[in-house]
Amino acid sequence: MFDTLSERLSGTLANLRGKGRLSDADIDATAREIRIALLEADVALPVVRGFIARIKERAKGSEVSGALNPAQQVVKIVNDELIAILGGETRRLRLAKEPPSVIMLAGLQGSGKTTLAGKLAHWLKGQGHTPLLVACDLQRPNAVNQLQIVGERAGVPTFAPEPGNGVGDPVDVARRGVGHAREKMYDVVIVDTAGRLGVDEELMRQAADIRDATRPDETLFVVDAMIGQDAVATAEAFRDGVGFSGVVLTKLDGDARGGAALSVREVTGEPILFASSGEKLADFDVFHPDRMASRILGMGDLLTLIEQAEQAFDEEQTAKAAAKISTGELTLEDFLEQMLAVRKMGPIGNILGMLPGANAGQMKDALAQVDDKHLDKLQAIIRGMTPGERADPKIINGSRRLRIANGSGVSVSDVNELVNRFFEARKMMKQMAGQFGFGGRSATRKQAKGRKGKKGKGRGPTPARAGALPAGFGGGVPDLSGLPPSLRELPPGLDQLPPGFDPSKLKFPKGK
């Protein structure tokens, strides 16, 4: 959704690089380009005016004029102001001290409230809560049935005493649902309310009555991020008519311009709590203003990428795979397990898009051509092998390769390519593990023989091996969570790859 805006902003800020000093004309020209980019992205005009005014005020002050790299300082200012209009700090759900906590969803029809209720319940269940869905949308046909299906997929029960389709009192169902949750010891209640095609008096009165009956701890306004300026007007109407404590953005995977997402927080003053970016239950996460600003400016989102990897990868299996890599014993079975874990994180293009510089030039074109079907083909080939062939690919001769190709629906050349690339990759990973000091079997026999019997007298402690990790890391990745936020992010200005960089021309050593 933010691709066009990201491309325009990145290109505008790239024009400042290489300038040792920025004149007022440079700053005015940059501000004008940023203004055009935001307006084209459908950001509300009052938001754009305030945003540009703050950027120009800071850019023309001593903050930039005294900087060693003025261009990078301007990028930092734009990043700071983007974070500010998106909400500043990440705001978490406020839950009641005494359960059950009540979360009420409100919004127009078609904004994705019912699907979002299931996603929120699935997310809360993953956080250790026991949520209950309450079906209070009794107007839209089959809304109750839809919520029950979504709840079943999420593994969460649904309280639906009325069939819906115009039958039943939603206020009474909401009140009874909270009582049922208290009786059955559910600690979170998610109330799915009815919507309308537009804001009207009946919609507001019903939502206000449900609010008064349940006294929710959080009232979340669900807004379709694709409806543009109407999102701002609708948000203001709900704020004045019902009141809400947070915003949830849905359909961020669409191709709309996305300006509503940048406008709602600034106009209503209420924070964006969650963002939904797909149809699956897992396509839902906490909204982090700093990470979203970083992605819009093309600086990647490594923290979200790390969090998704932690959820998808099994720690024990990953440790075993790392040990096998260092000794050159990685099998096709291990490779298949790691590939399936990567697929759990979502489309490969989206994963790579979180890397810094992914939206720049040739990298962006390369990402557009990434096809997940290629991984499906590799998975089919590996699954077509016997356990013995996966454990020791060296035994896969010509007749075996023909059998695997016929069984997995591919050509023999595809099987040959997979096996050959696997051997090359395994060899290269073993070499890299040895260079960086991982694994005790990485040294060659000649090196081991040269070291044998050289316990010199009076030589002192053995110096650290080049590339080895410092003591205390234990061969793992150091914990960076204690660092200040400024040290966990890329420096401003690293949102572009070097000019002329072509990833397709990178050459890796081939196996002999």
Side-chain angles (χ1 to χ4, degrees), residues 201-364:
E201 183 178 349
E202 182 182 358
L203 168 66
M204 291 301 176
R205 182 175 65 252
Q206 185 182 103
D209 290 343
I210 293 176
R211 176 201 63 196
D212 295 339
T214 60
R215 295 185 178 181
D217 301 281
E218 291 277 16
T219 302
L220 303 183
F221 173 63
V222 183
V223 56
D224 181 348
M226 298 177 64
I227 65 175
Q229 293 298 314
D230 286 343
V232 178
T234 306
E236 289 181 319
F238 270 90
R239 179 194 61 190
D240 299 336
V242 182
F244 56 84
S245 57
V247 178
V248 181
L249 296 177
T250 62
K251 305 178 185 178
L252 283 182
D253 55 328
D255 56 359
R257 290 172 290 182
L262 301 177
S263 306
V264 170
R265 165 64 179 85
E266 185 81 355
V267 172
T268 65
E270 299 298 340
I272 302 172
L273 268 63
F274 299 99
S276 172
S277 58
E279 292 295 328
K280 297 180 180 178
L281 291 175
D283 297 334
F284 174 85
D285 205 354
V286 176
F287 185 84
H288 300 277
D290 53 342
R291 302 184 191 181
M292 182 59 72
S294 180
R295 292 176 69 174
I296 290 174
L297 291 180
M299 293 188 289
D301 187 1
L302 291 177
L303 291 178
T304 298
L305 183 61
I306 292 170
E307 289 177 357
Q308 291 183 2
E310 288 176 344
Q311 294 175 1
F313 284 84
D314 181 82
E315 186 175 350
E316 184 177 348
Q317 288 183 350
T318 304
K320 290 180 180 178
K324 290 183 177 181
I325 288 174
S326 65
T327 57
E329 297 175 355
L330 191 72
T331 66
L332 281 168
E333 185 72 42
D334 300 321
F335 175 69
L336 177 62
E337 290 178 355
Q338 298 301 308
M339 185 169 61
L340 292 176
V342 170
R343 293 304 305 274
K344 289 181 183 179
M345 296 173 61
I348 303 300
N350 292 353
I351 297 171
L352 298 178
M354 295 183 189
L355 298 174
N359 293 323
Q362 295 172 340
M363 278 293 288
K364 184 177 180 181

Side-chain angles (χ1 to χ4, degrees), residues 53 130 167 180 468:
T130 53
V167 178
H180 178 76

Side-chain angles (χ1 to χ4, degrees), residues 282-494:
D283 297 334
F284 174 85
D285 205 354
V286 176
F287 185 84
H288 300 277
D290 53 342
R291 302 184 191 181
M292 182 59 72
S294 180
R295 292 176 69 174
I296 290 174
L297 291 180
M299 293 188 289
D301 187 1
L302 291 177
L303 291 178
T304 298
L305 183 61
I306 292 170
E307 289 177 357
Q308 291 183 2
E310 288 176 344
Q311 294 175 1
F313 284 84
D314 181 82
E315 186 175 350
E316 184 177 348
Q317 288 183 350
T318 304
K320 290 180 180 178
K324 290 183 177 181
I325 288 174
S326 65
T327 57
E329 297 175 355
L330 191 72
T331 66
L332 281 168
E333 185 72 42
D334 300 321
F335 175 69
L336 177 62
E337 290 178 355
Q338 298 301 308
M339 185 169 61
L340 292 176
V342 170
R343 293 304 305 274
K344 289 181 183 179
M345 296 173 61
I348 303 300
N350 292 353
I351 297 171
L352 298 178
M354 295 183 189
L355 298 174
N359 293 323
Q362 295 172 340
M363 278 293 288
K364 184 177 180 181
D365 297 336
L367 287 180
Q369 299 177 4
V370 173
D371 189 357
D372 288 359
K373 292 181 180 178
H374 182 64
L375 292 182
D376 294 335
K377 181 191 290 187
L378 297 181
Q379 181 178 333
I381 295 174
I382 298 175
R383 289 189 183 279
M385 300 176 183
T386 65
E389 291 168 343
R390 297 182 197 178
D392 185 12
K394 292 181 180 179
I395 67 173
I396 305 178
N397 54 23
S399 60
R400 289 175 182 263
R401 296 186 186 208
L402 179 60
R403 189 206 79 241
I404 294 169
N406 292 334
S408 54
V410 299
S411 64
V412 176
S413 61
D414 291 328
V415 179
N416 292 337
E417 184 180 11
L418 169 63
V419 175
N420 294 338
R421 286 193 174 184
F422 174 75
F423 284 132
E424 291 178 4
R426 187 168 68 174
K427 181 177 179 181
M428 185 172 63
M429 286 188 289
K430 181 181 179 181
Q431 291 174 346
M432 293 177 62
Q435 291 173 359
F436 287 96
F438 293 101
R441 295 169 60 181
S442 305
T444 64
R445 294 182 179 179
K446 188 175 181 180
Q447 291 172 328
K449 186 177 180 180
R451 288 196 298 263
K452 190 175 181 180
K454 288 189 177 181
K455 295 182 180 180
K457 298 179 180 180
R459 292 173 57 196
T462 303
R465 186 170 65 254
L469 289 174
F473 283 102
V477 179
D479 183 12
L480 303 180
S481 59
L483 292 176
S486 60
L487 294 181
R488 296 200 302 264
E489 301 174 356
L490 287 175
L494 291 184

Side-chain angles (χ1 to χ4, degrees), residues 139-151:
Q139 301 295 324
R140 181 169 61 87
N142 292 321
V144 174
N145 187 39
Q146 181 189 355
L147 185 66
Q148 289 173 327
I149 293 174
V150 171

